Amino acid sequence: MRVLLVEDDPLHRAWLREAVRQALPECREIVECADGGDGETRAREMPDACVVMDLQMQPRTGIDAARTIWRERPATRILFWSNYSDEAYVRGVSRIVPPGAAYGYVLKSASGERLRLALRGIFVENQCVIDGEVRGAQQRSAVQSGALSETEYEVLIDIALGLTDQAIALRRGLSLRSVQNRLQAIYDKLGVRAVEGQTGLYNLRGRAVSVAVLRRLLNRATLEHAEADLARWTARHPRPRDP
Amino acid sequence: MRVLLVEDDPLHRAWLREAVRQALPECREIVECADGGDGETRAREMPDACVVMDLQMQPRTGIDAARTIWRERPATRILFWSNYSDEAYVRGVSRIVPPGAAYGYVLKSASGERLRLALRGIFVENQCVIDGEVRGAQQRSAVQSGALSETEYEVLIDIALGLTDQAIALRRGLSLRSVQNRLQAIYDKLGVRAVEGQTGLYNLRGRAVSVAVLRRLLNRATLEHAEADLARWTARHPRPRDP
DNA sequence: AGCCGGCTTGCGGGTTCCCGCAGGACGCGA
DNA sequence: TCGCGTCCTGCGGGAACCCGCAAGCCGGCT
């Protein structure tokens, strides 16, 4: 067994290395790198690698790296090791995990014992290990009233990018009115409707984005990513006449 | 001399402690805590303390803690030790530093040598030490074309919160048209105007917030903070009739 | 079949936003 | 005093947004 560590903070990397050494004595080699891009190329060189991946990295994030790794080798076992349990990150991960793959999500604030257990659980026992706090965030969003469906989430991202209703309709292949319906649903679920006593205080569109950020449904990484998608789309899409 | 360390990550805290021990042998006591709120109370107990402060903490951030510390004792020397050089953070800090106070801003990615130099510079020599990258972000915003004035920045925050033009006018004591003028200025400076070929693609209001986040002018901490301010304002403000 | 709930679409309207135009207030240097 | 630049403000209109109402499609349930 060989392990690839992708983590930009040297301190955390050292701590990780030690945890792996203790939890996985059968591990014959530990390779380390500090950036998502490096992670991808190193993973290519180690077809049997188990990966421990930080999520917040520059310029390529852990999500980016994990996506390409999984695209090339869907059975790869990846443990995400992150500072935050924001829904934005959790959604980002669960969006790219291939069906049937074993993976994990452990917070950096977890104890060494928990980290070591997760390492064995994923890389040896081939099971999924999700920290309680993370699962909490997952549930909170999926079960409670504020459960944005996947399509609603996409529209939320689109308005966060600053697109018009019209543009969203074009992009997602919907009528203008459908987009607006989805918006209504989002406003309801985020609890952004006229709150009886503050009429005209909020611009619902902007407000929705605001509370989404405050509730950690959205973050800069999400946006950056969506921005790149959008750029790709506009490039491919013939812009209508506009003289 | 006594030093107070406020940093939530245990690894980083240990690293910091070691750096202080090396750089400041004359330091007789090092107190550590892991949260902004604790930091404030511990600082109260140590009237002569020098403070090293992480910026990203839960639930009270380093900015929050520094503000109350400086309010009670403006001469306190504080070294901010942060992961990021985002303009949002830099603005946040420079907004609360009292005139004449010595402070520092060093990135966590800096070498141990740089950190130790900063420690001596601030706490012993009583000078300001700002990392090059940070100063870069500062300059980039202040000099280049994309230089939002302080008032424009406030309006930017307001639309990021999802307020209507009307609400902003009320809050800031301006006419509706003036608010809109400021918005025009923001749109120009952020380069969000109709880009010749994509008419009707963007909702300028939302787009401005989007690029502000992407350019790191705004982040979740900024918003959270502004949100609290807003709540205080609406509470104090008699809402107009709306039956 | 028949009914129901969910998703989509069109229509129409009231409101808000975006912004060019133009007039007024203030400070500053000639 | 005049001219100039900068900021605030009102007016007006075109566009975009917010949203109730109603009709159609479709899959599931009895």
mmCIF file of all heavy atoms in Angstrom, chain A residues 51 69 81 102 108 190 206 215:
data_model
loop_
_atom_site.group_PDB
_atom_site.id
_atom_site.type_symbol
_atom_site.label_atom_id
_atom_site.label_comp_id
_atom_site.label_asym_id
_atom_site.label_seq_id
_atom_site.Cartn_x
_atom_site.Cartn_y
_atom_site.Cartn_z
ATOM 1 N N VAL A 51 -5.320 8.221 -1.222
ATOM 2 C CA VAL A 51 -5.076 9.653 -1.209
ATOM 3 C C VAL A 51 -5.689 10.309 0.026
ATOM 4 O O VAL A 51 -6.837 10.020 0.379
ATOM 5 C CB VAL A 51 -5.660 10.319 -2.475
ATOM 6 C CG1 VAL A 51 -5.352 11.801 -2.489
ATOM 7 C CG2 VAL A 51 -5.136 9.631 -3.722
ATOM 8 N N ILE A 69 -8.736 12.863 -10.524
ATOM 9 C CA ILE A 69 -8.244 11.549 -10.097
ATOM 10 C C ILE A 69 -9.331 10.503 -10.255
ATOM 11 O O ILE A 69 -9.108 9.414 -10.797
ATOM 12 C CB ILE A 69 -7.763 11.603 -8.634
ATOM 13 C CG1 ILE A 69 -6.484 12.450 -8.532
ATOM 14 C CG2 ILE A 69 -7.510 10.215 -8.085
ATOM 15 C CD1 ILE A 69 -5.973 12.615 -7.123
ATOM 16 N N TRP A 81 -9.689 15.881 4.038
ATOM 17 C CA TRP A 81 -9.303 16.346 5.376
ATOM 18 C C TRP A 81 -9.393 17.858 5.332
ATOM 19 O O TRP A 81 -8.584 18.512 4.671
ATOM 20 C CB TRP A 81 -7.888 15.870 5.667
ATOM 21 C CG TRP A 81 -7.537 15.946 7.095
ATOM 22 C CD1 TRP A 81 -8.246 15.441 8.143
ATOM 23 C CD2 TRP A 81 -6.369 16.541 7.670
ATOM 24 N NE1 TRP A 81 -7.603 15.693 9.310
ATOM 25 C CE2 TRP A 81 -6.454 16.355 9.057
ATOM 26 C CE3 TRP A 81 -5.273 17.200 7.148
ATOM 27 C CZ2 TRP A 81 -5.475 16.821 9.930
ATOM 28 C CZ3 TRP A 81 -4.302 17.649 8.015
ATOM 29 C CH2 TRP A 81 -4.406 17.471 9.397
ATOM 30 N N ALA A 102 -15.213 4.295 -2.131
ATOM 31 C CA ALA A 102 -15.057 4.515 -0.691
ATOM 32 C C ALA A 102 -14.330 5.829 -0.480
ATOM 33 O O ALA A 102 -13.312 6.097 -1.102
ATOM 34 C CB ALA A 102 -14.263 3.383 -0.064
ATOM 35 N N LYS A 108 -10.233 18.787 10.367
ATOM 36 C CA LYS A 108 -8.898 18.928 10.930
ATOM 37 C C LYS A 108 -8.943 19.082 12.439
ATOM 38 O O LYS A 108 -7.963 18.847 13.128
ATOM 39 C CB LYS A 108 -8.210 20.145 10.298
ATOM 40 C CG LYS A 108 -7.798 19.901 8.859
ATOM 41 C CD LYS A 108 -6.902 20.996 8.335
ATOM 42 C CE LYS A 108 -6.531 20.713 6.874
ATOM 43 N NZ LYS A 108 -5.711 21.782 6.284
ATOM 44 N N LEU A 190 -35.267 29.548 1.610
ATOM 45 C CA LEU A 190 -34.262 30.290 2.376
ATOM 46 C C LEU A 190 -34.916 31.262 3.355
ATOM 47 O O LEU A 190 -34.219 31.952 4.092
ATOM 48 C CB LEU A 190 -33.324 31.055 1.431
ATOM 49 C CG LEU A 190 -32.417 30.198 0.563
ATOM 50 C CD1 LEU A 190 -31.495 31.065 -0.257
ATOM 51 C CD2 LEU A 190 -31.605 29.238 1.417
ATOM 52 N N GLY A 206 -30.803 39.465 -4.363
ATOM 53 C CA GLY A 206 -29.552 39.664 -3.649
ATOM 54 C C GLY A 206 -29.586 39.065 -2.262
ATOM 55 O O GLY A 206 -28.611 38.488 -1.797
ATOM 56 N N ARG A 215 -25.207 31.118 5.423
ATOM 57 C CA ARG A 215 -25.485 29.755 5.878
ATOM 58 C C ARG A 215 -24.501 28.747 5.306
ATOM 59 O O ARG A 215 -24.721 27.546 5.415
ATOM 60 C CB ARG A 215 -26.886 29.352 5.430
ATOM 61 C CG ARG A 215 -27.964 30.133 6.107
ATOM 62 C CD ARG A 215 -29.216 29.303 6.207
ATOM 63 N NE ARG A 215 -30.340 30.149 6.477
ATOM 64 C CZ ARG A 215 -31.586 29.862 6.133
ATOM 65 N NH1 ARG A 215 -31.831 28.733 5.510
ATOM 66 N NH2 ARG A 215 -32.559 30.679 6.427
#
